[in-house]
Amino acid sequence: MIGFKNTLIGFKASLFEIENLDLFPGNLYLLAGKNGTGKTTFLKTIMRTVPLHGGSIQIKGTDLKNIESRTLPLLVAFVESRFVGIPFLSLKEYIALGRAPHTNAFGRLTPKDNDKVDEVISLLNLSSYQDKFTDELSDGIRQLGAIAKALVQEAPILLLDEPTAFLDFENKDLLMKTLKEIALSQNKCIICSSHDLDLSIELALPTLAVSSEENKLILLDSPLNKQEIIGLIC
Amino acid sequence: MMKRRILFYLLLATILLLVFSILHLFVGQISLSSSDFFGAVFKNGNYSNEEILMREFRIPRLLMAIVAGGGLALAGMLMQTLFNNPLAGPYVLGINSGSSLLVALSILTGSTFLGSELSLVFSAIVGAFIFGLLILLFSLSVKSHLSLLLIGLMLGSFTSALVSILEMGAGAEQFKAFAFWGMGSLQQIELSQISILMLTFLGSIGASFLLVKPLNMLVIGENSAVMLGLSLRKTRILVIAVTALFTGLITAFCGPIAFVGLAVPNITKLVFRTQQHAWLILGNVLIGALFLVVCDVLIQSLESLIHLPLNALTSIIGAPFVIFILLKKVR
């Protein structure tokens, strides 16, 4: 689904390299690395908000460079680490904005769009919050809302930048489990950066580790314990 | 539920606008009757003096109030959404300083190139567009809401300095003409100019509706909107262009009018409680128009006691409102 070949990630200088790596649908990948090693830059490179430093990235067999800006949101959806909420914007309206790549020039929601929004809202158990304004919700619900917005986009690839950073333990647990379920049931390729290595061991997630010694991104198919990951990234 | 609230307030604003518009037509110092109104609108020639007064002064002034109020409110809404800043507006960001500068150039130098009325409107729109782009450029490197505001104010002082240099070199007649223009007035519009005014106004409202989708996307922030496929460069240019159309058109005919573009979009959002721009566009046009028609009714009914310049009145109401928003929202 996503293929990397001699890919260099970095903003001004190259931060790390991905020699040869293929990521497949149906998986939730945990992206681990110390602060400042380029996890966010890596995700943003796939979103094309940061230019590729070298090498190539293929998405569903097409070179990232050749994908039109209009098509990219149909392939990749992004969830930021924090959504602070906006006055007078209801959760449902916020989630429905994820349909923007599908709607016409006026942004009109068709019955199909509305069905998709309702489906995702009930999948994430957000029905009782959907009419509340987003600035009046808790961080946990808002984060689920941000994920819902990305899901209604119906992109096969989902990138999340530390979505658990502002959540308590219970919500972290719930969020990661939900993501794993979605990856399996909707056959999506999900990459989620996080410092919560315990959760990845508990859920047996394949882990992408930014090795700080070699400056390379290494895939650990099923890391056995936290020490194995920490050994790599530190 | 949400929709019912919005429809209720839209209806209320429409009714109030109608009531105050009728009031506006009949509050002047010379009292006119409703038959003068119908005569002025439906007769072909042979107008009585009262009908001429209605046709050439009262009706144009009312339409100007509606266009100026609605247009400036809409321009303010566009700026606030584009810059994601509740304190933005064509006046505080110095967009109409651009109009003022070019208008000053044409009035004060009495240049024939910019002299005709149509080109006055055109130069005001061009001036607004240039200053809009300038503010856009600054906004790219400024993070804080207040910094952008300060830049807008600096742009305003810089321009007024240039204008005062122009004033020093101008003749007495031109100086007087420009001073009156600067106070803001709804009376300068003439019957023959109404058609171009209304066409540009309605055209710009139509153009705003074409921007509903990008505006709704901008609500969640530029970065998120771009990742949903929004073309930021195209959106920015279009929003600035439509804002310049409104601001330039109104500034050319009325002079600078302060704070309507800042206060009304905030009021509309507080009343409608929505971020859906299709509703906000309608709301801003109606509430903005209502605001200025009410202001002008006030000015006209106090005329025998005191002469209130329009810009002074909107500032008296608007400036405390800005302080209110500063205290409540931006700290």
Side-chain angles (χ1 to χ4, degrees), chain A residues 101-146:
Chain A
H102 300 267
T103 57
N104 67 9
F106 296 96
R108 198 175 180 84
L109 296 170
T110 62
K112 192 183 159 240
D113 294 318
N114 279 316
D115 287 348
K116 187 69 202 172
V117 171
D118 290 336
E119 181 197 317
V120 171
I121 285 177
S122 60
L123 176 78
L124 295 181
N125 287 321
L126 291 170
S127 312
S128 48
Y129 306 101
Q130 60 178 352
D131 294 323
K132 295 235 161 64
F133 291 135
T134 45
D135 61 333
E136 292 165 356
L137 296 167
S138 69
D139 273 330
I141 298 297
R142 268 207 295 263
Q143 198 58 30
L144 281 176

Side-chain angles (χ1 to χ4, degrees), chain A residues 80 86-87 93 100 103-104, chain B residues 213 219 224 227-228 275-276:
Chain A
E80 272 157 297
I86 289 146
E93 289 173 315
T103 57
N104 67 9
Chain B
K213 183 177 179 179
V219 167
S224 304
M227 288 194 272
L228 287 170
Q275 295 280 2
Q276 301 292 329

Side-chain angles (χ1 to χ4, degrees), chain A residues 47 49 69 73 76 78 80 86-89 93-94 97-98 100-101 103-107 133 136 149 153, chain B residues 2 209-210 212-214 216-217 219-221 223-224 226-230 234 269-270 273-276 329:
Chain A
M47 286 310 301
T49 49
S69 343
V76 194
F78 189 85
E80 272 157 297
I86 289 146
F88 307 137
L89 181 70
E93 289 173 315
Y94 172 68
L97 278 173
T103 57
N104 67 9
F106 296 96
F133 291 135
E136 292 165 356
K149 176 170 75 73
Q153 230 174 299
Chain B
M2 180 194 100
F209 273 109
L210 295 178
V212 160
K213 183 177 179 179
N216 284 342
M217 289 169 81
V219 167
I220 56 170
N223 288 334
S224 304
V226 166
M227 288 194 272
L228 287 170
L230 180 84
K234 204 173 92 185
K269 212 172 259 180
L270 284 173
R273 299 173 72 81
T274 185
Q275 295 280 2
Q276 301 292 329
K329 282 194 176 172

Side-chain angles (χ1 to χ4, degrees), chain A residues 178-194:
Chain A
T178 311
L179 284 176
K180 193 178 175 184
E181 265 172 44
I182 290 167
L184 274 173
S185 62
Q186 303 192 9
N187 205 29
K188 285 186 192 292
C189 175
I190 306 182
I191 307 175
C192 171
S193 72
S194 177

